[in-house]
Amino acid sequence: MKIERPWARLGIGILVMVIVVIVGFSWVAAMIPTWGSTSQEVALELPGDKLVPTPDILWNHAITIRAPAKAIYPWLIQMGDSRAAFYSITFIENLFCMTSGECRYVNADRIHEEWQNPVKGKQGIIMDFLVIHDYQPDQYVLATATDKMPLKWTWLWYIQPVNELTSRLIVRHRIDVPEEFPRQAFTWIMNMGYVMERAMMLGIRDRSEGHLPSSWEEPLGAAIWLLVFALGVVAAVDFVRYPSGYHALGVGLEAIIILFILTFIQPPMWVRGVLLLMVVSGIVVVYWRRSGRRLFLTRRST
């Protein structure tokens, strides 16, 4: 059934988009606290747990790394804004730095021996707001919030060996939110920050496994994200302007779902390319169907 009025199609498009976005963010919010973890890993008692015994926010993330603990730990212990950064999305990290002008992130591509023995309680992870509280070589690095932060926060990177060549990296946050700060708002902010944590864990995994990221990967990933977004907008505009069925709406929704995948799952670059081609193919079909319809109507009129 075709709907001729543009305003009606606009209303349908907005309604469907809002539903998909709400479902998407609800799924993400439900998955984030234990993303990648097993129930056994969530239940583990780990270093730093007693420092924040009853957290308002508890995250337990994990990832498999095909490398022994001794190959992973050196990358963990040198993290921090003034040292190796966080192996995450550099241009987003530096957007946060612009607000203070006190730091500039440069993700390390090698092990720095001079950063392997930081002073406990002094070495900053995030300036002097979050510092390295404790560490055990080839086992864990634990950071805690200082008095400059209005909350209690522990951030742990813990290596659990699986066998001689494989490990599980568990990243745990325990946060007490101040009573005067709306918990839901803080949770939403943290959920958006998960994008960076996911990139960090992938960056640690790749470096530990010996796969140093190329300089072109980050801009290419950003370009793919922007192209999928732009093609989704094109599909949405086409659906509103032309009463040619619901294929364009479907392509727009496909673009939204793929944006969630690119943002929160962050698959390998070849998978991102395939996802982009899926949206491109959908747009091609939209215009092919519309061009074919125009040709058919022209022939009928003659």
Side-chain angles (χ1 to χ4, degrees):
M1 181 181 67
K2 296 178 182 178
I3 300 174
E4 300 292 334
R5 296 182 179 179
W7 286 109
R9 294 197 299 276
L10 177 63
I12 291 172
I14 291 175
L15 176 62
V16 174
M17 181 192 71
V18 168
I19 291 173
V20 172
V21 169
I22 290 175
V23 170
F25 277 113
S26 298
W27 174 78
V28 166
M31 294 293 292
I32 279 178
T34 58
W35 199 300
S37 301
T38 65
S39 56
Q40 292 82 4
E41 290 167 342
V42 172
L44 281 175
E45 184 174 343
L46 296 178
D49 285 357
K50 294 180 180 179
L51 297 177
V52 185
T54 56
D56 294 314
I57 295 176
L58 174 58
W59 278 6
N60 200 102
H61 304 142
I63 191 171
T64 298
I65 301 178
R66 293 180 178 83
K70 63 181 180 181
I72 302 170
Y73 175 80
W75 294 103
L76 302 180
I77 193 62
Q78 66 182 22
M79 287 196 301
D81 51 21
S82 63
R83 301 186 300 158
F86 296 96
Y87 320 123
S88 188
I89 306 172
T90 312
F91 76 90
I92 297 180
E93 290 176 333
N94 284 317
L95 286 177
F96 289 102
C97 284
M98 289 174 61
T99 61
S100 65
E102 297 182 22
C103 59
R104 182 177 182 277
Y105 293 92
V106 179
N107 289 319
D109 57 4
R110 65 181 180 89
I111 302 299
H112 290 257
E113 293 298 331
E114 68 274 20
W115 292 341
Q116 297 298 302
N117 296 286
V119 178
K120 297 178 182 180
K122 297 291 185 180
Q123 179 58 58
I125 289 287
I126 301 177
M127 294 184 280
D128 54 354
F129 295 99
L130 198 71
V131 301
I132 292 178
H133 176 81
D134 193 15
Y135 57 86
Q136 190 69 282
D138 299 341
Q139 292 185 29
Y140 69 85
V141 177
L142 174 66
T144 58
T146 67
D147 293 338
K148 292 192 174 185
M149 293 192 76
L151 50 78
K152 293 181 179 179
W153 179 7
T154 61
W155 190 359
L156 173 72
W157 295 263
Y158 183 84
I159 307 169
Q160 186 176 46
V162 176
N163 54 47
E164 292 182 358
L165 299 176
T166 306
S167 307
R168 292 280 285 174
L169 174 64
I170 300 172
V171 181
R172 179 174 291 182
H173 296 260
R174 299 174 69 92
I175 303 174
D176 264 347
V177 182
E179 293 183 2
E180 63 273 14
F181 200 97
R183 180 178 172 181
Q184 289 301 321
F186 190 85
T187 300
W188 185 84
I189 293 171
M190 287 293 294
N191 285 349
M192 293 301 99
Y194 174 75
V195 174
M196 303 300 291
E197 172 133 327
R198 174 66 176 171
M200 175 197 72
M201 295 178 72
L202 293 173
I204 294 170
R205 182 197 66 185
D206 291 345
R207 286 167 171 81
S208 301
E209 292 179 352
H211 308 304
L212 295 177
S214 301
S215 58
W216 52 264
E217 288 187 25
E218 188 173 306
L220 178 60
I224 290 174
W225 196 99
L226 291 172
L227 281 171
V228 171
F229 177 82
L231 292 171
V233 172
V234 169
V237 171
D238 190 278
F239 173 71
V240 172
R241 292 185 61 187
Y242 303 104
S244 56
Y246 291 88
H247 186 79
L249 178 61
V251 175
L253 297 180
E254 176 188 45
I256 294 174
I257 294 170
I258 288 175
L259 287 175
F260 271 99
I261 295 172
L262 295 177
T263 303
F264 293 101
I265 297 178
Q266 301 175 25
M269 202 59 65
W270 71 268
V271 175
R272 302 187 198 198
V274 171
L275 294 174
L276 174 61
L277 286 176
M278 289 172 59
V279 183
V280 171
S281 300
I283 291 292
V284 170
V285 172
V286 167
Y287 280 89
W288 177 80
R289 286 162 60 97
R290 181 146 49 80
S291 298
R293 182 173 179 272
R294 285 176 177 173
L295 181 61
F296 175 75
L297 293 176
T298 300
R299 288 178 176 176
R300 285 190 60 182
S301 64
T302 57

